[in-house]
């Protein structure tokens, strides 16, 4: 018997299907060991020696592997085909070797880009040895992250606030978001006017923009106020006499080529645009599709490996795609030869493939019933993009029409029609920010000839204001990280989630906005650790890690080059930078209470104005309050306390704003500023209230009793008004797992009931079901 080890039980189940009875497949459940979680885990004084320990929760899985290894003839390490996967295999090998459990058995490393019968058996038939270049690159990355985290985080605790932390790649990403916000705040809007003509020909209406006036080209800021716009309007009306003359009609055809197949970054961007998925949700769903889904005939790996920066497609895949296109759409939808795409990344691992279906024959509509909603939507996106990339180009008819309006005045209308759809029959790539020029090109125009006249319906001056650059969305942030070389495809999702978990950024209408804490952390890092949040420095470091993985550089000199100047900078900052230098910024105003200097300061709830003579002077006010305004709470009009009839006011507590009684502390009545959404599910504990949807301090959704604090019953996941078939508890919850999708579970710790969810019970939103149904949240009243 041969023992094959993979990371997850889902992957093990799929691979077992393709191997014969002489193979036993088990899961390690991810990494089996990691650095000891304390100072000294990486020792710069002794060649950056790294101290590892087994991950406690995975000890039982290592023991299970050890037990099966006793009767095995050989050990096959079949973890993912990247640095992280190589490191998992190496850590397991080292652990088993040190425990003297491998003995004389041969150990093989096998990798496959897709979990199909052919790929799995080919990999087992052609194993290789562990790649220590990949392992060392991963060790170097882990050491760098550890050294930065364990030295910068304590510094942030002392100089900013307890509980903060800094990361090697998250910090430049935070800088991107903060700098974009500063651009927006510094932006000076400018007024400008455009002039459009509404015209008609044989009942078909269209519009055209003023391109030339009085013999001069019209630029964006040619007309900057309403008075001038009205002058131009009246002059054009007088010159037109109700007609416009077609001076020129220019027609041309343009080819539009399909986008390349997905790589990790483009999959995350497109899933954000078209499906509204977070990067984390995209990667979690893609992992499920890669590891295998039961589509009626057993578990099948539906897509190739999802952490890749290569746009290559195998010859076998290209042949299957071209055959499918010819059969479904006809030979006229096939280019003469298969399309080959070139990756933009200089460090792309070309041995890998792009993200594609393992077989184009697994058509989305045919297997949809076997997939969760997220799996079906993401798989369809990958399937269509892959199919479209090998189809013929689309042919667009572009039309540009110049319309005369008296001497020296010209309007221009542009539009396009699709002559041959080609790949556009299947798929069209999304865009982050669509401009008005893009909209103009997609207009349909009537058939016009030079010399003819068209009816002028109206001249329309339109007021506009220049707009600041948009905040980053998940898609545009991933795109910028990729362009700047910050992180690598496998790290984008964790970079974004870490920034949110640390509360350095928040999502506002699906766009990232830095919090006050995020601004202060960024200010501290950019002022005192400038080079380490520099985009070029971070990108060069990533390139050097890639060079280590290729065997072109040694990892220890790389760490030595980084460590000494970094440690010197940490020590200098520790000694010379005061907390007040980081968290306070003086403003040109004196304290009305003691005459001292006022400053913008960072408090528990964000920025506020406070006296620099604190604690001798306790004057404070809200940052946005007018100068000299009192710090009295805002009274809620038309509402009084239901317990003592005193006025109610909007107050601020440790969890943000809430409504409270002005008679405090005699009366302690409080209520949330925003009424929580009621689920209508009766509280199973007190049976007096109902479970309401609320947000925790960190923005996570939970459900708690409406009578809190009298009743403290709460669950993380959405409650269902159904009794548990096992224990009879009046409520079940809807839980989502990576491998099994939505399920009904009993929230009682002593009950292990798990049942299938109804189709209508699907979770809403990208974070639904992210928390365990068996961990109890603490209700937060404000």
């Amino acid at each position: 018997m041969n023992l094959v080890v993979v990371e997850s039980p889902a992957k093990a189940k799929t691979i077992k299907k393709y191997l014969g009875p002489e193979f036993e497949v088990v899961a390690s459940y991810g990494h089996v060991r990691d650095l000891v979680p304390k100072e000294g885990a990486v020792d710069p004084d002794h060649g950056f020696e790294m101290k590892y320990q087994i991950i406690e929760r995975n000890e039982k899985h290592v023991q299970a592997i050890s037990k099966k290894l006793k009767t095995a003839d050989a050990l096959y390490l079949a973890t993912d085909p990247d640095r992280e996967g190589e490191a998992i295999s190496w850590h397991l090998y080292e652990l088993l070797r040190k425990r003297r459990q491998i003995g004389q058995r041969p150990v093989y490393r096998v990798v496959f880009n897709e979990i199909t019968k052919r790929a799995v058996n080919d990999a087992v038939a052609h194993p290789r040895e562990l790649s220590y270049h990949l392992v060392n690159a991963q060790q170097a990355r882990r050491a760098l992250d550890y050294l930065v985290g364990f030295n910068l985080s304590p510094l942030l605790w002392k100089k900013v606030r307890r509980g903060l932390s800094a990361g090697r790649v998250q910090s430049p990403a935070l800088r991107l978001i903060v700098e974009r916000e500063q651009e927006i705040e510094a932006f000076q809007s400018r007024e400008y006017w455009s002039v459009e003509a509404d015209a008609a020909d044989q009942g078909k209406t269209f519009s055209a923009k003023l391109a030339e006036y009085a013999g001069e080209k019209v630029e964006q800021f040619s007309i900057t106020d309403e008075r001038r716009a009205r002058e131009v309007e009246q002059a054009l009306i007088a010159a037109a006499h109700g007609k416009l003359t077609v001076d020129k009609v220019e027609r041309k055809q343009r080819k539009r080529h399909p986008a390349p197949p997905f790589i990790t970054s483009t999959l995350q961007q497109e899933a954000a645009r078209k499906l509204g998925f977070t990067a984390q949700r995209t990667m979690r769903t893609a992992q499920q599709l890669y590891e295998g889904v039961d589509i009626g005939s057993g578990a099948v790996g539906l897509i190739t490996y999802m952490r890749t920066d290569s746009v290559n497609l195998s010859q076998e895949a290209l042949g299957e795609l071209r055959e499918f296109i010819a059969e479904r759409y006809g030979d006229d939808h096939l280019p003469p030869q298969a399309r080959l795409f070139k990756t933009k990344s200089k460090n792309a691992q070309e041995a890998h493939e792009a993200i594609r279906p393992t077989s184009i024959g697994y058509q989305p509509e045919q297997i949809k019933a076997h997939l969760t909603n997220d799996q079906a939507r993401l798989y369809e996106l990958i399937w269509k993009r892959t199919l479209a990339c090998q189809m013929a180009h689309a042919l667009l008819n572009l039309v540009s029409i110049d319309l005369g309006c008296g001497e020296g005045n010209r309007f221009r209308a542009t539009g396009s029609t699709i002559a041959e759809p080609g790949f556009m029959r299947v798929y069209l790539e999304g865009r982050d920010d669509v401009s008005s020029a893009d909209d103009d090109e997609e207009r349909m125009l009537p058939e016009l000839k030079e010399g003819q006249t068209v009816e002028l319906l109206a001249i329309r001056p339109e007021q506009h204001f220049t707009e600041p650059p948009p905040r980053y969305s998940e898609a545009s942030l991933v795109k910028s990280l990729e362009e700047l070389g910050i992180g690598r495809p496998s790290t984008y999702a964790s970079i974004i989630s870490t920034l949110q978990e640390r509360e350095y950024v928040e999502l506002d209408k699906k766009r990232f906005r830095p919090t006050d804490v995020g601004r202060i952390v960024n200010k501290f890092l950019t002022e005192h650790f400038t080079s380490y949040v520099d985009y070029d420095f971070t990108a060069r470091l990533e390139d050097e890690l890639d060079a280590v993985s290729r065997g072109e550089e040694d990892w220890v000199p790389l760490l030595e080059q980084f460590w000494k100047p970094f440690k010197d900078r940490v020590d200098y900052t520790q000694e010379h930078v005061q907390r007040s230098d980081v968290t306070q910024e003086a403003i040109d105003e004196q304290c009305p209470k003691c005459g001292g200097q006022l400053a913008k300061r960072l408090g528990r709830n964000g920025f506020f104005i406070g006296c620099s003579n604190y604690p001798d002077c306790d004057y404070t006010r809200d940052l946005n309050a007018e100068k000299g305004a009192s710090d009295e709470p805002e009274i809620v009009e038309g509402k009084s306390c239901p317990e003592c009839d005193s006025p109610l006011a909007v107050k601020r507590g440790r969890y943000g704003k809430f409504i409270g009684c002005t008679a405090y502390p005699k009366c302690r009545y409080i209520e949330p500023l925003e009424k929580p959404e009621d689920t209508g599910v009766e509280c199973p504990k007190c049976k007096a209230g109902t479970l309401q949807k609320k947000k925790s301090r960190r923005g996570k959704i939970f459900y708690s009793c409406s009578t809190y604090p009298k009743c403290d019953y709460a669950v993380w996941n959405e409650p269902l008004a159904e009794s548990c078939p096992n224990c009879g508890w009046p409520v079940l919850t809807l839980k989502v797992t990576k491998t099994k999708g939505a399920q009904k579970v009993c929230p009682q710790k002593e009950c292990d009931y798990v049942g299938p969810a109804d189709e209508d019970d699907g979770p809403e939103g990208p974070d639904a079901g992210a928390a365990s149904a068996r961990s109890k949240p603490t209700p937060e009243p404000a």
Side-chain angles (χ1 to χ4, degrees):
M1 186 269 291
N2 298 302
L3 185 64
V4 180
V5 181
V6 296
E7 301 98 318
S8 73
K11 188 175 178 182
K13 183 179 178 182
T14 310
I15 289 173
K16 176 60 181 171
K17 174 183 173 182
Y18 299 128
L19 293 173
E22 67 274 18
F23 288 92
E24 178 75 21
V25 186
V26 294
S28 70
Y29 289 79
H31 277 281
V32 294
R33 66 175 188 170
D34 197 4
L35 291 172
V36 295
K38 59 184 179 182
E39 196 170 351
V42 178
D43 188 355
D45 297 329
H46 296 86
F48 295 91
E49 180 185 349
M50 301 173 73
K51 299 173 184 175
Y52 294 104
Q53 69 177 26
I54 191 164
I55 298 171
E56 187 177 345
R57 68 176 183 273
N58 280 353
E59 172 66 52
K60 60 182 179 181
H61 303 304
V62 174
Q63 289 181 4
I65 292 169
S66 301
K67 186 176 180 180
K68 290 184 180 296
L69 188 60
K70 289 178 182 179
T71 58
D73 299 320
L75 175 63
Y76 288 81
L77 301 170
T79 49
D80 287 345
D82 58 10
R83 267 186 267 182
E84 195 76 19
E86 203 74 21
I88 292 173
S89 287
W90 175 74
H91 280 301
L92 180 60
Y93 170 76
E94 285 294 299
L95 200 59
L96 295 173
R97 184 182 64 81
K98 287 180 179 179
R99 293 182 177 185
R100 302 179 183 276
Q101 293 171 336
I102 292 180
Q104 299 302 311
R105 297 175 187 84
V107 178
Y108 303 113
R109 175 75 171 111
V110 295
V111 293
F112 32 81
N113 189 53
E114 60 184 72
I115 304 180
T116 60
K117 185 173 183 177
R118 177 198 57 79
V120 170
N121 282 281
D122 280 356
V124 171
H126 302 93
R128 62 167 173 82
E129 295 182 347
L130 278 166
S131 169
Y132 284 92
H133 296 319
L134 292 175
V135 171
N136 289 338
Q138 182 61 27
Q139 286 205 96
R141 176 186 289 278
R142 187 72 185 89
L144 283 168
D145 292 342
Y146 171 88
L147 291 170
V148 170
F150 261 78
N151 285 275
L152 271 189
S153 297
L155 201 57
L156 283 171
W157 282 42
K158 293 177 182 177
K159 306 302 181 184
V160 182
R161 177 192 288 176
R162 288 184 65 81
L164 299 181
S165 57
R168 183 180 59 86
V169 288
Q170 290 88 0
S171 299
L174 174 62
R175 180 185 169 191
L176 271 175
I177 295 170
V178 173
E179 287 183 345
R180 176 59 59 87
E181 194 69 20
Q182 290 169 343
E183 278 185 73
I184 293 169
E185 291 169 349
F187 183 80
Q188 297 292 325
S189 183
R190 290 184 63 185
E191 180 182 5
Y192 68 98
W193 289 70
S194 64
V195 179
E196 293 196 13
D198 292 330
D201 178 62
Q202 297 180 358
K204 294 181 179 179
T205 60
F206 65 99
S207 62
K209 283 187 177 180
L210 184 65
E212 185 180 335
Y213 179 71
E216 293 186 3
K217 184 180 180 182
V218 175
E219 306 281 0
Q220 182 179 16
F221 296 106
S222 294
I223 306 171
T224 56
D225 58 68
E226 184 175 8
R227 182 188 61 78
R228 178 58 176 161
R230 297 303 175 191
E231 287 177 4
V232 172
E233 175 191 10
Q234 294 305 315
L236 290 170
I237 290 173
H241 302 293
K243 299 286 183 183
L244 297 177
T245 305
V246 180
D247 291 340
K248 183 180 178 183
V249 178
E250 185 178 8
R251 292 184 174 87
K252 57 183 178 182
Q253 285 193 327
R254 188 182 72 190
K255 292 180 180 178
R256 185 167 182 175
H257 297 282
F262 281 130
I263 58 175
T264 305
S265 60
T266 54
L267 177 64
Q268 292 175 3
Q269 292 169 52
E270 197 74 336
R273 296 185 195 111
K274 292 194 171 182
L275 307 180
F277 284 13
T278 62
Q280 208 167 28
R281 186 179 177 185
T282 299
M283 297 309 291
R284 180 174 65 242
T285 308
Q287 183 85 34
Q288 296 163 10
L289 295 172
Y290 165 71
E291 291 185 345
V293 180
D294 190 340
I295 59 173
S297 56
V300 174
L302 290 174
I303 64 169
T304 52
Y305 192 56
M306 64 285 154
R307 293 186 180 89
T308 177
D309 48 14
S310 170
V311 289
N312 285 344
L313 293 174
S314 69
Q315 289 301 313
E316 181 183 356
L318 290 172
E320 187 185 23
L321 283 166
R322 288 177 64 81
E323 187 178 321
F324 185 89
I325 293 167
E327 183 178 333
R328 173 173 281 201
Y329 300 104
D331 290 336
D332 57 325
H333 280 72
L334 270 178
Q337 286 90 32
R339 292 185 184 277
L340 301 178
F341 296 92
K342 189 174 182 180
T343 185
K344 295 178 182 178
S345 172
K346 62 182 177 181
N347 293 308
Q349 299 183 57
E350 297 298 338
H352 289 179
E353 272 194 88
I355 304 169
R356 63 166 176 84
T358 53
S359 172
I360 204 69
Y362 296 134
Q363 299 178 45
E365 63 274 14
Q366 294 175 355
I367 63 172
K368 184 176 181 180
H370 301 284
L371 308 180
T372 66
N373 188 46
D374 280 8
Q375 290 170 352
R377 294 172 70 197
L378 190 66
Y379 179 72
E380 183 178 24
L381 194 71
I382 295 168
W383 189 90
K384 286 185 173 181
R385 173 92 162 214
T386 307
L387 184 66
C389 84
Q390 290 304 314
M391 293 180 71
H393 61 258
L395 202 58
L396 304 179
N397 289 329
L398 304 182
V399 182
S400 177
I401 302 173
D402 286 350
L403 301 155
C405 182
E407 186 66 31
N409 306 320
R410 175 171 54 87
F411 287 89
R412 169 163 286 186
T414 57
S416 67
T417 58
I418 298 174
E420 297 176 11
F423 74 92
M424 292 171 67
R425 286 186 61 178
V426 174
Y427 182 88
L428 193 59
E429 187 176 31
R431 291 174 288 187
D432 287 320
D433 300 293
V434 181
S435 67
S436 58
D438 296 323
D439 291 335
D440 291 343
E441 278 197 5
E442 294 174 3
R443 290 177 182 167
M444 298 285 288
L445 297 176
E447 288 290 332
L448 299 176
K449 296 179 180 178
E450 291 182 8
Q452 80 174 88
T453 59
V454 296
E455 182 184 359
L456 176 63
L457 302 177
I459 300 288
R460 288 185 293 106
E462 297 280 352
Q463 185 185 34
H464 308 277
F465 293 92
T466 54
E467 295 184 352
R471 292 188 178 98
Y472 285 106
S473 64
E474 282 226 2
S476 58
L477 182 59
V478 167
K479 187 176 182 180
S480 292
L481 291 173
E482 182 183 29
E483 289 173 347
L484 291 168
I486 299 171
R488 284 297 179 258
S490 60
T491 64
Y492 298 144
S494 63
I495 289 172
I496 293 169
S497 63
T498 300
L499 290 177
Q500 290 178 279
E501 287 165 7
R502 290 176 179 168
E503 297 183 2
Y504 292 166
V505 303
E506 58 190 8
L507 273 177
D508 180 13
K509 298 176 182 176
K510 296 188 176 181
R511 299 273 175 166
F512 289 109
R513 181 202 295 266
T515 62
D516 290 345
V517 174
R519 287 173 183 265
I520 287 292
V521 170
N522 179 70
K523 176 188 173 186
F524 174 74
L525 294 174
T526 51
E527 287 182 357
H528 303 290
F529 291 87
T530 310
S531 64
Y532 301 100
V533 291
D534 179 75
Y535 304 134
D536 289 339
F537 174 85
T538 307
R540 285 197 304 273
L541 198 55
E542 291 290 351
D543 289 345
E544 288 182 303
L545 288 170
D546 288 334
V548 172
S549 69
R550 295 191 298 269
E552 297 168 4
E553 281 191 35
D554 190 11
W555 67 295
V556 173
L558 170 62
L559 293 176
E560 288 172 343
Q561 184 181 357
F562 171 87
W563 171 245
K564 190 176 186 311
F566 175 74
K567 185 64 168 66
D568 289 345
R569 191 68 211 166
V570 169
D571 294 342
Y572 178 87
T573 306
Q574 173 81 22
E575 185 71 25
H576 294 88
V577 177
Q578 303 300 315
R579 187 187 186 105
S580 58
D581 297 337
V582 182
T583 60
Q584 297 185 28
E585 182 181 335
I587 63 173
D588 188 19
E589 189 181 344
Q590 302 302 308
C591 174
K593 194 170 181 179
C594 74
Q597 178 73 53
L598 290 183
K600 185 170 80 169
R601 302 172 62 180
L602 180 68
R604 185 163 51 189
N605 299 306
F607 287 130
F608 69 98
I609 301 297
C611 184
S612 57
N613 289 334
Y614 178 83
D616 295 330
C617 178
D618 62 357
Y619 175 81
T620 63
R621 75 162 188 263
D622 188 81
L623 180 65
N624 299 315
E626 294 182 0
K627 288 183 181 180
S630 68
D631 201 27
E632 292 297 317
E634 176 189 348
I635 300 297
V636 179
E637 295 293 336
K639 198 171 182 180
S640 58
C641 175
E643 293 185 3
C644 72
D645 209 33
S646 298
L648 293 176
V650 178
K651 299 183 177 183
R652 183 183 288 275
R654 62 180 299 189
Y655 299 122
K657 290 184 178 180
F658 66 99
I659 294 175
C661 184
T662 53
Y664 178 86
K666 290 181 180 179
C667 177
R668 294 178 176 271
Y669 175 79
I670 59 171
E671 64 180 58
L673 189 64
E674 295 180 9
K675 287 290 185 184
E677 180 184 331
D678 200 320
T679 65
V681 178
E682 183 182 78
C683 175
K685 185 175 180 180
C686 70
K687 301 190 184 302
T690 55
L691 297 181
Q692 296 179 329
K693 183 178 181 180
K694 299 178 182 178
K695 270 190 180 180
S696 73
R697 182 185 179 190
R698 297 186 179 276
K700 291 185 178 180
I701 299 296
F702 71 98
Y703 300 83
S704 68
C705 184
S706 57
T707 65
Y708 179 83
K710 291 180 180 178
C711 176
D712 63 356
Y713 184 79
V715 290
W716 280 117
N717 290 322
E718 181 183 350
L720 303 173
E722 299 179 31
S723 298
C724 174
N726 275 7
C727 69
W729 187 249
V731 168
L732 292 176
T733 57
L734 191 67
K735 181 180 180 182
V736 177
T737 63
K738 291 182 179 181
T739 56
K740 297 178 182 177
Q743 293 179 308
K744 293 178 183 178
V745 301
C746 181
Q748 294 294 86
K749 290 182 180 179
E750 61 274 10
C751 180
D752 58 359
Y753 172 75
V754 177
D758 299 333
E759 194 167 316
D760 295 335
D761 286 335
E764 298 177 3
D767 299 318
S772 169
R774 300 180 190 278
S775 60
K776 184 178 179 181
T778 303
E780 295 173 0

